[in-house]
Amino acid sequence: MHIKQVEELILQSLEHEMGGVQIYTVAVSCAVNSDLKEEWQKYLAQTKTHVTKLEAVCQSLEIDAKQETPGRKVVRHVGGALVEAMKMAAAAGDPAAAELVACECVVLAETKDHADWELIAKCAEHLTGPKAAALEQASDEVEDEEDEHLYHTKGWCRELWLKSLGMTAVLPPPEERQHVKTAIGAARAEQASEKTR
């Protein structure tokens, strides 16, 4: 294991979760659908908890949580760009279009988030002692939430796009109704929704 790169992963993940708080704050303000707004409010609260968990991981691994790295700066920049994209869409005056942009921004953010937490779990498998325990505990507590964030929001994005295109949409999406938390479950939910169109 390259411990310095593990530290980089943790710092980037922390930065990404901190940016996620900003992303969800703006996304909630862009949500038109009340079910989506409620879901994103829940995800915002969970993301704040993820920040706290990663700060605890930093403490356990003796990483300075405020340490600046080039990768962390990039993560902050990308998160800021997603926030700006949503604000730009909201300012254009079409609430439905802004909601779609917010959905896409959340999917992009959650894709990286999901990958980060998968990597954290892999690191836990290859480390030993207290470091492994800290990473394993954090990933065990967060993994299902991250799966839900990604797969449910992808479903919302697909269905809202279909609605905007004048096609039959299933809202809330099947991923939401079926409480999907795996890629296989998401694929099955999407296939099931096709049968109802």
Side-chain angles (χ1 to χ4, degrees):
M1 290 286 298
H2 299 288
I3 297 302
K4 278 294 186 196
Q5 195 62 9
V6 173
E7 292 176 4
E8 178 67 20
L9 172 63
I10 300 303
L11 289 170
Q12 284 190 28
S13 298
L14 174 59
E15 189 66 43
H16 191 69
E17 291 286 6
M18 291 165 62
V21 170
Q22 296 172 9
I23 289 166
Y24 274 117
T25 300
V26 177
V28 166
S29 72
C30 292
V32 176
N33 183 290
S34 61
D35 291 326
L36 179 59
K37 184 180 285 271
E38 183 179 325
E39 179 144 324
W40 280 350
Q41 287 169 333
K42 179 177 92 172
Y43 295 173
L44 172 58
Q46 290 172 341
T47 301
K48 289 176 181 178
T49 302
H50 299 173
V51 170
T52 303
K53 288 186 188 310
L54 282 168
E55 288 170 339
V57 165
C58 285
Q59 189 172 9
S60 294
L61 274 62
E62 298 178 351
I63 300 170
D64 176 4
K66 295 184 181 352
Q67 180 184 341
E68 195 63 68
T69 69
R72 192 171 184 173
K73 288 178 185 175
V74 170
V75 169
R76 185 180 310 119
H77 176 77
V78 171
L82 294 175
V83 167
E84 285 306 310
M86 288 185 286
K87 288 179 178 178
M88 186 185 309
D94 182 344
E99 182 179 54
L100 268 176
V101 169
C103 243
E104 290 178 341
C105 289
V106 170
V107 168
L108 290 170
E110 287 298 350
T111 300
K112 173 161 175 47
D113 219 7
H114 192 264
D116 284 351
W117 282 101
E118 284 182 340
L119 290 170
I120 289 169
K122 288 286 183 200
C123 289
E125 293 172 11
H126 290 85
L127 290 171
T128 58
K131 290 180 179 183
L135 293 178
E136 184 176 6
Q137 180 181 353
S139 64
D140 285 351
E141 292 172 359
V142 170
E143 188 174 9
D144 280 351
E145 292 175 354
E146 289 300 338
D147 289 342
E148 181 180 326
H149 294 187
L150 177 60
Y151 300 128
H152 289 212
T153 303
K154 282 175 77 173
W156 276 102
C157 198
R158 179 191 65 244
E159 297 300 327
L160 288 171
W161 258 109
L162 289 170
K163 180 181 176 186
S164 77
L165 293 165
M167 297 180 202
T168 303
V170 180
L171 294 170
E175 291 86 347
E176 176 83 10
R177 292 185 206 159
Q178 296 173 23
H179 307 288
V180 167
K181 292 188 180 179
T182 66
I184 291 170
R188 287 180 182 147
E190 185 175 356
Q191 286 175 343
S193 73
E194 289 304 317
K195 294 175 184 174
T196 63
R197 293 187 206 286

